[in-house]
């Protein structure tokens, strides 16, 4: 076991030689981080021989706040970002500095609640179709591959929000969904990156058609095409615009798919919580013409989603690199140090969460949230680089759950934890198969 230094906020850690531990190369990164945390506390460093550099691992909300919020300018994205850049180019996820700030300003308004409201009808319709399929599966008695089903559903949701009816046209022209590989192929290696980047041509073709016809439906692609930089009044160059669209496809699909997986898994394990969700879902389903504003009345559905994101945050590990020297408590973090923040472990910190392993959606009541350290819960990150799609994702997932759980519910499953896969997002290693029953 590697030697580390550990400390709680305000304590000075012991200095000394660090044993080698290439965290980023481990097969079981999460298990190792968990064991090291129990052994060494909320802040420790490991030395990577291959990079000849130290990595600081922090698991306390005070330091999370320092890295992501109060001193965020001192941190760039860290280990693994080159791999993301191969896939997503210079889109928002992987860019830095002035380019990132400019792009973020140009994209921000597209994710405003008022804009997201426009997606309600199409997401509602898609979820209604999905619910009908799940109802058939329930009636047939054959277990449903929930992993595949939510992956496909979230891909369709993001594609329609990006391309509106142009997506349906592309689908007709190709005879299938030309973006299908994003959901069908779970590898995120170089081969996938090459196939995925080739989809940029399709995005360009839609852009060209829209420009030629001066037709800009109210979707994310139109927003990006029409956005102008405030200071220069310039549009995004096409190449960068395509990087942004490819980024939104991947960032908007994988995380939401993983989150919904965990929601259904937890509902199957906790039938009494599931009963509350079904009840709330039925209230919405009974409305004559459900509307976006109906989501405001929901209590359990958003809490269940937030609690699932606590136990299984899809973005389970944030990596950063210190540009200049920093300090955590009294400890000096030299310039160039890597920093890891593991939200999976932070969300289970016993100083901030009672019964951390239990699935208790009531933790997300207004009072309990207000009483908790703001940075003990970061499924969408925090600070200026927090997820731009948080409201988009929450709305999409709430509609999905409200519509589907009004029609079907999972039969309860044994209290056996699913094996985790941590390669990119936190996902179940094997597909989640659930037997469903029709809601009476
Ligand atoms: C449950 C769903 C989601 C989760 C858990 C999630 C989580 C996150 C996290 C943790 C980050 C920060 C990563 C880091 O700092 O290293 C992030 C960034 C980002 N997310 Fe999400 N995300 C979700 C859905 C979405 C959706 C639906 C979209 C778009 C349609 C989206 C687009 C982005 C983008 C573009 C960034 C980069 C933002 C920037 O650096 O300025 N995400 N997301």
């Amino acid at each position: 076991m590697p030697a580390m230094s550990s400390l709680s906020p305000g304590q000075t850690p012991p200095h000394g030689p660090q044993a080698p531990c290439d965290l980023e190369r481990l097969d079981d990164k999460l298990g190792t981080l968990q064991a090291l945390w129990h052994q060494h506390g909320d802040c420790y460093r490991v030395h990577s021989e291959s990079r000849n550099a130290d990595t600081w691992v922090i698991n306390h909300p005070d330091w999370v706040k320092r890295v992501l919020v109060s001193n965020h300018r001192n941190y760039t994205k860290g280990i693994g970002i080159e791999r993301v850049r191969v896939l997503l180019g210079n889109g928002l996820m992987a860019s830095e500095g002035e380019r990132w700030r400019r792009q973020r300003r140009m994209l921000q308004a597209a994710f405003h609640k008022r804009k997201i409201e426009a997606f309600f009808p199409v997401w509602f319709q898609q979820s209604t179709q999905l619910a009908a399929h799940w109802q058939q599966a329930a009636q047939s008695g054959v277990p449903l591959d929930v992993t595949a089903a939510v992956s496909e559903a979230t891909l369709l949701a993001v594609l329609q929000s990006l391309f509106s009816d142009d997506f349906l046209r592309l689908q007709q022209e190709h005879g299938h969904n030309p973006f299908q590989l994003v959901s069908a192929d779970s590898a995120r290696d170089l081969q996938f990156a090459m196939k995925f980047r080739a989809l940029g041509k399709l995005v360009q073709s839609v852009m060209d058609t829209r420009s030629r016809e001066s037709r800009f439906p109210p979707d994310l692609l139109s927003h990006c095409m029409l956005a102008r930089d405030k200071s220069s009044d310039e549009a995004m160059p096409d190449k960068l615009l395509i990087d942004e669209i490819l980024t939104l496809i991947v960032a908007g699909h994988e995380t939401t798919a993983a989150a919904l997986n965990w929601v259904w898994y937890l509902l199957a394990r906790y039938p009494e919580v599931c009963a509350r969700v079904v009840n709330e879902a039925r209230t919405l389903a009974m409305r004559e013409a459900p509307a976006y504003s109906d989501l405001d009345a929901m209590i359990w559905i958003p809490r269940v989603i937030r609690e699932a994101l606590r136990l299984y945050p899809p973005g389970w590990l944030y990596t950063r690199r210190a540009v200049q020297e920093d300090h955590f408590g009294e400890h000096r973090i030299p310039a160039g140090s890597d920093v890891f923040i593991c939200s999976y472990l932070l969300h289970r910190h016993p100083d901030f969460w009672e019964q951390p392993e239990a699935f208790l959606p009531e933790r997300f009541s207004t009072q309990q949230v207000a009483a908790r350290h703001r940075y003990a819960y970061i499924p969408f990150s925090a600070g200026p680089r927090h997820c731009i799609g948080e409201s988009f994702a929450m709305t999409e997932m709430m509609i999905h759950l409200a519509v589907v759980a009004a029609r079907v519910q999972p039969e309860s499953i044994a209290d056996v934890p699913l094996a985790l896969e941590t390669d990119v997002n936190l996902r179940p290693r094997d597909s989640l198969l659930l037997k469903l029953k029709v809601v009476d």
Side-chain angles (χ1 to χ4, degrees), residues 36-50:
L36 292 174
W37 175 42
H38 289 146
Q39 215 178 344
H40 302 288
D42 291 347
C43 183
Y44 55 85
R45 70 193 138 120
V46 292
H47 185 74
S48 158
E49 269 190 343
S50 61

Side-chain angles (χ1 to χ4, degrees), residues 266-284:
L266 288 163
L267 289 179
R269 272 187 61 182
Y270 294 83
E272 64 299 347
V273 177
C274 189
R276 283 180 173 158
V277 167
V278 167
N279 222 5
E280 196 166 86
R282 283 170 58 93
T283 320
L284 179 86

Side-chain angles (χ1 to χ4, degrees), residues 345-359:
L345 296 178
L346 182 73
H347 292 175
R348 287 169 154 80
H349 197 308
D351 292 354
F352 304 95
W353 304 96
E354 269 175 42
Q355 297 177 259
E357 297 296 332
F359 179 56

Side-chain angles (χ1 to χ4, degrees), residues 68 77-78 81 91-95 100 103-104 107-108 111 123 158 161-162 220 244 247-260 305 309 312-320 343 378-382 384-394 396-397 425:
L68 298 180
K77 297 247 170 149
I81 196 65
L92 213 47
M93 186 69 80
S95 61
W100 168 77
Q103 290 298 109
R104 177 95 190 196
L107 282 175
Q108 192 67 55
F111 290 91
W123 290 347
V158 78
S161 328
L162 279 161
L220 292 172
E244 292 301 1
T247 296
L248 294 176
I249 293 174
V250 169
H253 159 255
E254 292 192 354
T255 44
T256 317
L260 284 177
I305 295 171
L309 288 168
Y312 300 105
W316 68 279
L317 183 68
Y318 305 160
T319 66
R320 293 291 188 268
S343 54
I378 51 162
F380 294 100
S381 189
R385 292 209 76 149
H386 75 274
C387 176
I388 200 169
E390 175 172 355
S391 295
F392 181 112
M394 283 303 296
E396 179 194 336
M397 291 189 289
N425 288 305

Side-chain angles (χ1 to χ4, degrees), residues 52-275:
N52 191 25
D54 281 347
T55 296
W56 283 87
V57 186
I58 53 177
N59 199 35
H60 192 285
D62 286 351
W63 291 316
V64 167
K65 181 180 177 192
R66 177 150 189 88
V67 172
L68 298 180
V69 186
S70 45
N71 199 23
H72 72 91
R73 281 184 189 275
N74 190 44
Y75 291 90
T76 59
K77 297 247 170 149
I79 293 168
I81 196 65
E82 300 78 17
R83 205 173 130 195
V84 177
R85 226 166 255 141
V86 171
L87 187 64
L88 304 179
N90 288 315
L92 213 47
M93 186 69 80
S95 61
E96 298 282 359
E98 199 36 51
R99 190 207 312 251
W100 168 77
R101 249 183 297 282
R102 187 170 158 255
Q103 290 298 109
R104 177 95 190 196
R105 274 199 308 263
M106 288 170 88
L107 282 175
Q108 192 67 55
F111 290 91
H112 195 280
K113 283 198 172 152
R114 273 197 323 273
K115 295 282 178 136
I116 290 167
E117 184 174 354
F119 301 136
F120 182 88
V122 68
W123 290 347
F124 188 84
Q125 191 209 1
Q126 284 178 342
S127 298
T128 305
Q129 279 172 4
L130 185 77
H133 284 138
W134 287 32
Q135 204 167 3
Q136 281 168 9
Q139 279 154 350
S140 74
V142 178
L144 180 83
D145 184 338
V146 171
T147 305
V150 294
S151 176
E152 216 175 298
T154 51
L155 180 62
L156 288 182
V158 78
L159 291 172
Q160 281 242 254
S161 328
L162 279 161
F163 304 117
S164 304
D165 289 350
D166 284 324
F167 165 63
L168 303 177
R169 187 180 48 77
L170 284 176
Q171 217 172 358
Q172 269 170 6
E173 276 170 21
H174 287 78
H176 64 279
N177 175 359
F179 296 92
Q180 192 61 37
L181 75 123
V182 178
S183 155
D185 189 344
S186 64
R188 290 296 175 260
D189 50 19
L190 199 58
Q191 254 187 340
F192 174 82
M194 282 164 63
K195 283 186 274 177
F196 178 67
R197 300 278 326 159
L199 296 173
K201 280 200 202 103
L202 284 185
V203 180
Q204 181 77 62
S205 75
V206 179
M207 285 159 55
D208 291 345
T209 311
R210 286 189 182 188
S211 297
R212 215 174 34 247
E213 298 173 358
S214 283
R215 182 177 51 81
F216 298 102
D219 56 24
L220 292 172
L221 177 65
S222 291
H223 177 92
C224 292
M225 292 177 73
L226 300 174
R228 294 292 176 271
D229 178 45
K230 260 192 189 153
S231 44
S232 67
D233 202 34
E234 279 173 15
M236 283 181 221
D238 280 6
K239 191 167 176 304
L240 188 54
L241 205 160
I242 290 170
D243 281 355
E244 292 301 1
I245 300 301
L246 295 180
T247 296
L248 294 176
I249 293 174
V250 169
H253 159 255
E254 292 192 354
T255 44
T256 317
L260 284 177
N261 235 289
W262 295 119
V263 166
W264 285 108
Y265 165 68
L266 288 163
L267 289 179
R269 272 187 61 182
Y270 294 83
E272 64 299 347
V273 177
C274 189

